[in-house]
Amino acid sequence: MTRTTPSPVTVRRVTDPADPALEAFGHIQEASYYAPDMLIPPGVFPHLVAGRGGREDRILVAEDEAGAVLGGTVYHLLPRAGFSSFVAVSPAARGRGVARAIHRAKLGEVRARGLAGLFADSVFAGRQDTEARVAEARVGTDPLARRRALHALGYRTVDAPYWQPVGGPDGSPLTDLDLLFHPLDGGDTVETALVTETLRAYWDAWLGRKRAAREAAALTERAGHPDALALLSATQTPRYWRR
């Protein structure tokens, strides 16, 4: 039996709004996430690359030797930390270290900017409803496996009662998510002010400045106003949800 070695993976930042890699990444995003309508629409990608989002938005794509797009990520460089909005890998390319290569490239830019680390949010399986679990299985993803993979990459769960606010007067918050953080200093806590300042800057894009500030302040209130928050295993949910 002859074994083939997967071709090397190259990660690059997309800087041209007309780069065809954006469309390819958009197709991967829509095919690999169980609720693509909850993500930044692929049609917005050229605007992010062109710097029209009012913040430092970044898109990286991972490609094989032939230039085929294997996956990508949307993330944001904020005043004190980065925030990773989404990572997608083509189902055919899973298991080849694509997500790890993308994460390593993001951390390189976060480190080069002198930022404290990289935030993300991720579904906690124990708070998913049945419909979402069925949808995940349909696209071949597993929230338990995803959280184990995020832990292996260096992410940790921020021990805070986080949920993602939804824009619009009738939007309900997404409460099946936890906030994760990859600290570049390797610490086991994160400054509460770093969490709230980063979330305020991240949410500002779709909530507006005043509401983003209110939501960040509400998180601090729920957490009890500590100076720092513990970082748990990324497979865990915060203690708030375990009471």
Side-chain angles (χ1 to χ4, degrees):
M1 179 179 177
T2 302
R3 294 185 178 180
T4 58
T5 302
S7 58
V9 175
T10 301
V11 179
R12 67 178 177 89
R13 179 183 164 197
V14 180
T15 57
D16 180 0
D19 193 321
L22 292 177
E23 182 178 1
F25 172 44
H27 291 315
I28 291 172
Q29 173 178 285
E30 292 182 333
S32 62
Y33 192 62
Y34 71 99
D37 56 317
M38 301 297 294
L39 304 175
I40 296 173
V44 177
F45 290 173
H47 299 279
L48 298 182
V49 167
R52 299 174 195 161
R55 60 187 178 189
E56 291 192 74
D57 302 308
R58 297 286 184 269
I59 293 181
L60 303 178
V61 292
E63 299 170 320
D64 65 14
E65 286 182 313
V69 177
L70 306 175
T73 187
V74 179
Y75 68 108
H76 320 278
L77 297 176
L78 303 169
R80 296 184 61 192
F83 197 106
S84 179
S85 283
F86 187 66
V87 178
V89 176
S90 167
R94 290 172 187 167
R96 293 177 52 180
V98 176
R100 182 172 293 278
I102 290 171
H103 185 65
R104 189 163 50 238
K106 278 190 293 192
L107 282 183
E109 187 157 356
V110 168
R111 186 175 287 107
R113 289 299 186 89
L115 303 179
L118 184 63
F119 286 94
D121 54 24
S122 179
V123 167
F124 183 70
R127 293 199 304 281
Q128 262 190 325
D129 59 31
T130 301
E131 183 180 357
R133 286 196 296 273
V134 170
E136 285 244 42
R138 192 160 47 240
V139 297
T141 57
D142 176 0
L144 293 172
R146 182 166 55 244
R147 293 289 284 262
R148 288 194 295 269
L150 289 168
H151 184 87
L153 289 175
Y155 281 106
R156 299 294 179 263
T157 297
V158 179
D159 192 14
Y162 169 85
W163 47 76
Q164 189 184 99
V166 176
D170 301 320
S172 298
L174 302 179
T175 58
D176 59 355
L177 298 165
D178 290 333
L179 183 67
L180 308 182
F181 183 56
H182 184 146
L184 291 188
D185 66 1
D188 57 8
T189 64
V190 57
E191 181 189 353
T192 304
L194 173 64
V195 174
T196 55
E197 288 171 24
T198 301
L199 290 176
R200 188 168 65 240
Y202 177 60
W203 288 335
D204 182 71
W206 76 84
L207 296 179
R209 184 167 298 176
K210 289 184 178 179
R211 186 178 168 199
R214 288 199 306 270
E215 294 286 353
L219 184 148
T220 304
E221 181 72 25
R222 292 192 300 270
H225 298 275
D227 293 330
L229 297 161
L231 295 176
L232 314 173
S233 165
T235 62
Q236 291 182 287
T237 198
R239 285 173 289 184
Y240 175 89
W241 299 106
R242 291 181 267 152
R243 293 172 184 167

